[in-house]
Amino acid sequence: EKDIVELFLAQVEVYNQNKKKCKPGTEHNLGSGVIKQYGLNRFKSQALVAVNRANLLTRLWKEPDSAIVLSEYLFYTQVRSIVEGDQEIFAAGNCYDKNEFKDYHLFCPYSYRMEDSRINVKDLSMEYDYLGNTSQWFYSARMKALHLENFNVTKGAVQWRHNATTLSPVEEDSTITVTYDDGHWSDPYFDCGGGNIWMMTYTVPFFGYKNGTFKFK
């Protein structure tokens, strides 16, 4: 009779041998036990990179300048920079909800390490539809974002450049922000269609702004 470790390794090996035939998505997972030891402690500093990036994206989408937010190059570059900046991070994505970017059904710049160590960036939404609840990483972020009252609001001020010598008057500024505790660690899963490797994903929501309120982006 196999013990739990043998069963774990056997399952990993099966998917490793058949990864070229896998169905795009994240439905194959190994359960939540691993998260308690590794996700919450081992990779917290990497998760905080995602928190920082989510808050930046929320600010960009609160007052979107079309020259910036419609630049696919910008969004491809920002996920690449996350992977480039930390060898412990295998992949990073910036995935949008239905009809939230240009006129695309979905849009998800995704950067990951290839087997030859190069970093590739692609639109993950072209390979599989992540809107279903089997894509735990996206589903969890969407569910958390339903309750805006649970998030912090950061209040501050801003002074824009008025001309060559003076600043504009002080304007009040407030934006919804996320913290580490607002994120979610997925069960370890085989990322078919993404990096084609076993991984855990930390996901945290970011927001757009419409009609005077924030909304899941």
Side-chain angles (χ1 to χ4, degrees):
E1 182 179 353
K2 292 185 178 181
D3 63 23
I4 190 169
V5 175
E6 288 181 296
L7 291 172
F8 175 90
L9 294 175
Q11 187 176 357
V12 169
E13 182 59 25
V14 167
Y15 287 116
N16 185 56
Q17 292 177 358
N18 295 281
K19 61 184 178 182
K20 292 183 179 180
K21 301 177 183 178
C22 66
K23 177 183 176 182
T26 63
E27 61 185 85
H28 303 301
N29 69 77
L30 299 175
S32 59
V34 179
I35 300 174
K36 295 178 181 178
Q37 180 176 356
Y38 293 103
L40 300 182
N41 300 307
R42 176 70 172 81
F43 298 116
K44 183 174 181 179
S45 62
Q46 284 74 30
L48 289 173
V49 175
V51 171
N52 179 280
R53 191 57 53 89
N55 288 328
L56 171 63
L57 288 166
T58 295
R59 286 192 173 275
L60 286 177
W61 286 108
K62 183 184 177 186
E63 298 184 21
D65 182 314
S66 60
I68 296 176
V69 298
L70 296 182
S71 169
E72 294 185 31
Y73 178 78
L74 169 66
F75 294 104
Y76 272 53
T77 300
Q78 60 97 8
V79 293
R80 180 189 293 275
S81 70
I82 293 175
V83 179
E84 287 176 332
D86 192 329
Q87 289 295 320
E88 297 280 9
I89 297 176
F90 175 79
N94 174 208
C95 301
Y96 291 78
D97 205 1
K98 181 180 177 181
N99 300 326
E100 286 291 340
F101 189 89
K102 294 186 178 181
D103 59 351
Y104 299 166
H105 171 61
L106 293 175
F107 181 61
C108 182
Y110 179 81
S111 175
Y112 65 98
R113 300 183 187 278
M114 297 192 293
E115 291 184 1
D116 62 4
S117 77
R118 290 181 299 158
I119 296 173
N120 188 37
V121 186
K122 62 184 179 182
D123 182 354
L124 188 63
S125 72
M126 300 296 290
E127 298 188 350
Y128 79 93
D129 188 329
Y130 49 78
L131 292 182
N133 57 16
T134 56
S135 293
Q136 186 186 109
W137 53 272
F138 189 81
Y139 181 77
S140 65
R142 176 191 269 171
M143 291 299 100
K144 282 180 176 287
L146 291 176
H147 304 284
L148 294 178
E149 69 277 7
N150 293 336
F151 295 94
N152 296 326
V153 174
T154 300
K155 296 183 179 181
V158 61
Q159 284 183 276
W160 305 107
R161 180 177 174 134
H162 179 64
N163 55 35
T165 59
T166 60
L167 295 171
S168 65
V170 174
E171 298 178 16
E172 296 299 316
D173 175 81
S174 64
T175 301
I176 193 170
T177 55
V178 295
T179 67
Y180 175 74
D181 291 334
D182 294 318
H184 171 79
W185 280 106
S186 73
D187 294 339
Y189 63 89
F190 189 80
D191 186 36
C192 181
N196 291 318
I197 194 173
W198 287 97
M199 64 172 67
M200 292 188 303
T201 297
Y202 174 82
T203 310
V204 66
F206 66 100
F207 299 88
Y209 191 75
K210 187 176 183 180
N211 299 326
T213 188
F214 291 96
K215 61 188 290 289
F216 181 59
K217 190 69 179 172

